[in-house]
Amino acid sequence: MFKMRYLKLAVVLVVGMLALGAVVIAQEPNTELSGDLEIFSWWTGGGEEAGLLALIERFQEQYPNVNVINAAVAGGSGVNARAVLTSRMLSNDPPSTFQVHAGQALNALWVRAGRMQPLNDMFEANGWMEQYPQGLLDLITDSEGNIYSVPVNIHRSNVMWYVPGKLAEWGLEVPGTWEDFLTTTCPAMQAAGVTPIAVGENWTQVHLWESVALGVLGAEAYQGLWDGTTSWTSEEVNNVFTTFAAVLDCANEDRNALSWQDAAQRVANGEAGFTIMGDWAAGYYLIDLELEPETGFAWAASPGTSGTFMMLSDTFGLPVGAKNEEAARAWLSFIGTAEAQDIFNPLKGSLPANITADITNGDLYNAYFQSAYTDWTTNAIVGSLQHGAVAPPAFLDGFGNVIASFAANRDASQATANAATLALQTGIGQ
Ligand code: GAL
């Protein structure tokens, strides 16, 4: 079944490429570029890895003499990869190119430190200024108009995953708000011996927190956390933490030992009712677990967030001192194309960032993608904290500790005071 699915996808991809016509078919491989090309990311398993490997395979057809080194470091949300990257950058040993989130993860760290090379020439030469949404271009551009990375996708953070047949068995519905979840869903599931919400290690708790914050505050006040118009010590933010505490009381106690995949799997198994995770979980359900969208797994906006799409984007940049810069530029020029994005995203669970990609093709992009695309193009858009869009890495790192302490002591006033201090120290709202 696994093979069949890959086969089907491969057939669709090949047919899609043929449809692109002579450009792809007639393109002679470039044999002049050679040497090692080290691609650094945190995609080491399942749909994520499959997507990356499919990209590398197509790239190698075009550049057969380039030796691609897949330098992926395991760990969800790049928790380990980002630390390894930092130490390599500090010892002047950057990879040829590396994965980095669009937004503050890129700008407040590597761009500010002068460690990235602008890519405006590439964007202009490829016609990409018209092929990427302006809001996304803004996230990868500095105040002087320099563009510093190439986006490969758009992911959604505020998604709640479940299995429809299980919900029906338990006689429950998808909760529309956190209040519904806490007063109806959670007690009913606990009475049935099911974990209401599956959560994993620290970063997945921050991921859950950002969905709770969006659900409790609404899009505007959530956005205000990052532009300084919502005070961290306000009553509303205090409510976010008290709601978050109640949600944690509905979660599995062994959470710190679980990866995001483990948590997602508990939902698929029927051990847990829901999990809140970005839509790389769609890639996991589709590719790793071979489940069908809408029956094997289903999705809804996380409680209270219907009408808002919390986005993030995986991008690749060109560090100063990149090894084999020419090959790195060829890689970046490739991954920004519609062709590359249609190879990558159906496996990854994300939407193509390049708007000329074939997203409306239902054979390539199934029901999950169609639903995400509708929301992406009609909803209010806000950025993810955990996945680098809205806050500097220094804030995020400190906030992981705030959440760890809060999970242990449930002290909302300490948590909001610490978050307020962090915001001040890291320049949020200034
Ligand atoms: C995110 C990243 C996704 C996915 C996820 C889980 O930060 O943007 O592409 O890799 O982490 O590791």
Side-chain angles (χ1 to χ4, degrees), residues 42-43 48 75-78 99 101 153 155 203 260-261 277 280 312-314 348 386-387:
W42 57 85
W43 295 330
E48 317 206 298
S77 195
Q99 178 189 358
H101 285 129
N153 64 7
H155 264 307
W203 78 261
W260 67 267
Q261 291 97 329
M277 191 36 61
W280 41 94
L312 61 118
S313 171
D314 293 307
K348 181 69 171 76
Q386 174 56 41
H387 308 283

Side-chain angles (χ1 to χ4, degrees), residues 198-241:
V199 185
E201 60 188 309
N202 179 259
W203 78 261
T204 75
Q205 296 163 33
V206 176
H207 186 108
L208 173 63
W209 183 91
E210 71 184 20
S211 258
V212 172
L214 181 62
V216 171
L217 297 173
E220 212 181 308
Y222 170 82
Q223 184 51 40
L225 291 171
W226 317 116
D227 63 20
T229 56
T230 299
S231 161
W232 281 93
T233 51
S234 62
E235 187 65 38
E236 329 161 67
V237 178
N238 200 78
N239 288 342
V240 171
F241 278 93

Side-chain angles (χ1 to χ4, degrees), residues 356-408:
T356 67
D358 206 10
I359 179 64
T360 55
N361 177 348
D363 291 332
L364 198 52
Y365 291 100
N366 66 34
Y368 174 70
F369 299 91
Q370 297 309 321
S371 135
Y373 182 62
T374 301
D375 289 350
W376 167 242
T377 48
T378 55
N379 282 1
I381 308 292
V382 296
S384 160
L385 162 64
Q386 174 56 41
H387 308 283
V390 288
F395 179 89
L396 176 60
D397 292 344
F399 197 73
N401 296 331
V402 169
I403 291 298
S405 305
F406 182 73

Side-chain angles (χ1 to χ4, degrees), residues 240-263:
V240 171
F241 278 93
T242 51
T243 306
F244 182 61
V247 174
L248 285 184
D249 287 340
C250 298
N252 47 302
E253 279 173 16
D254 61 351
R255 52 187 168 268
N256 289 328
L258 264 58
S259 66
W260 67 267
Q261 291 97 329
D262 297 332

